[in-house]
């Protein structure tokens, strides 16, 4: 069985930056277990790093393996194929899927690694697989802008926790303009409206209470030069809105949280209050960034890749962000891991079942012959006793 994943040994930046992030911890655990298997059972598991798969091989409707490049040479590997090559939210080169299906997002920066260029989608569509929901591309509102390199094409993601713990998004007038806890597409849309009004840059502001709760995050981002600590008066000066305007924003927000005023953007949940201009803050510049692609290759409930006739290819499976039609039009936070784990397991189970069926039907003659030589005998009168016999061996064994 061939399992193909995209990119380097390090997971993508938008899944987290350290083992303290849940996505990173899960990824490292899975990678570590796989690497352990390569050492303990080398005949069962083999990892080839820095190989580039160039095509999916098939005979009729049956996938037979892949062609790949390694150390400057072309090789083939035969077997059932499971692809987990990721999305296309960093596909900025020739033949870009972004440019083809969502040209309006092509100029944005991305939180993805440089390897997320839709290679799996392109290879599968070349053999007749179907692209589905390819225009469904998620733009995340809070990409961290590096003041030293504001136009960088690849950006770190500000964790959802920053807004979840009470972080405010402020425009260049020091005013709120959205429910900070709204869906990603909604918050991104509100940010674009502010840009049309010439009210950028957008800043994410954490007060001291939120900063203490998110100490790991604030230290991490500050260490990368993506976040700064400052007083309320320094914040007002940096924004350029004046202390009175910033104080009014904070006072209005506190009154909304206390139920004394209605939030014009409908925010209902508030944390780590109050906001005061006399407090200290952690502040970062933000802009919307390409984050996730809901579109991808059409699969069925068994993670089998479907052909143009809506029938599954034999021996071909897809999971993770490569697969389309799983998340609908806009993915919810955290569900990318579910897509990887759930359909990853489904793909593994389906591929294993396919191999067993082929084994039993004669597709793997040597193994089938061995299987046919073995028989089990259970004597009901002797619980716990099992006799194992195989022809040609000249003996049997009792367990």
């Amino acid at each position: 069985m061939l399992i193909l994943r995209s990119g380097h040994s390090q997971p993508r930046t938008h899944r987290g930056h350290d083992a303290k992030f849940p996505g990173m911890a899960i990824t490292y655990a899975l990678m570590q277990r796989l690497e352990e298997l390569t050492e303990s059972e080398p005949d069962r598991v083999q990892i080839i790093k820095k190989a580039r798969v160039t095509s999916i091989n098939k005979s009729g409707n049956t996938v037979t393996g892949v062609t790949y490049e390694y150390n400057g040479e072309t090789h083939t590997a035969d077997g059932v194929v499971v692809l987990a090559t990721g999305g296309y939210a960093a596909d900025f080169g020739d033949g870009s899927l972004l440019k083809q299906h969502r040209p309006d997002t092509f100029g944005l920066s991305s939180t993805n690694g440089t390897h997320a260029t839709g290679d799996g989608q392109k290879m599968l569509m070349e053999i007749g697989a179907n692209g589905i929901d390819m225009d469904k591309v998620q733009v995340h509102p809070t990409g961290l802008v590096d003041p030293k390199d504001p136009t960088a094409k690849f950006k770190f993601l500000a964790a959802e926790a920053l807004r979840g713990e009470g972080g405010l998004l402020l425009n260049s007038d020091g005013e709120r303009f959205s429910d900070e806890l709204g869906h990603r597409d909604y918050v991104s849309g509100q940010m674009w409206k502010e840009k049309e009004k010439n009210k950028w840059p957008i800043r994410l502001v954490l007060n001291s209470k939120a900063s203490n709760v998110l100490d790991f995050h604030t230290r991490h981002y500050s260490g990368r030069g993506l976040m700064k600590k400052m007083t309320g008066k320094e914040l007002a000066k940096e924004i350029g809105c004046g202390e009175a305007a910033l104080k009014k924003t904070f006072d209005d927000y506190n009154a909304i949280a206390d139920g004394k005023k209605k939030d014009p953007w409908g925010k209902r949940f508030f944390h780590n209050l109050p906001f005061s201009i006399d407090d200290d803050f952690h502040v970062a510049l933000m802009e919307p960034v390409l984050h996730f692609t809901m579109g991808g290759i059409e699969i069925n409930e068994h993670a089998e890749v479907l052909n143009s006739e809506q029938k599954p290819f034999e021996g071909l499976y897809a999971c993770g962000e490569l697969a389309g039609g799983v998340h609908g039009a806009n993915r919810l936070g955290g569900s990318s891991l579910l897509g990887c784990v759930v359909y990853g397991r489904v793909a593994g189970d389906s591929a294993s079942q396919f191999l067993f069926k082929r084994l039993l039907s004669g597709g793997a003659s040597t193994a089938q012959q061995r299987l046919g030589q073995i028989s089990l005998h259970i004597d009901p009168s002797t619980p716990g006793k099992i006799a194992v016999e195989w022809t040609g061996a000249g003996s049997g064994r009792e367990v």
Side-chain angles (χ1 to χ4, degrees), residues 82-123:
V82 179
L83 288 99
T85 54
Y88 48 94
D91 191 9
F92 301 123
D94 296 336
S96 168
L97 294 172
L98 286 173
K99 202 165 192 177
Q100 181 180 349
H101 298 282
R102 279 297 299 275
D104 58 306
T105 67
F106 189 74
L108 300 181
S109 298
S110 177
T111 63
N112 289 235
T114 56
H115 55 274
T117 52
D119 296 345
Q121 287 87 340
K122 294 171 187 176
M123 286 189 294

Side-chain angles (χ1 to χ4, degrees), residues 279-293:
D279 199 359
D280 289 329
F281 300 88
H282 276 89
V283 183
L285 295 171
M286 296 286 151
E287 70 176 36
V289 283
L290 285 161
H291 183 56
F292 191 89
T293 49

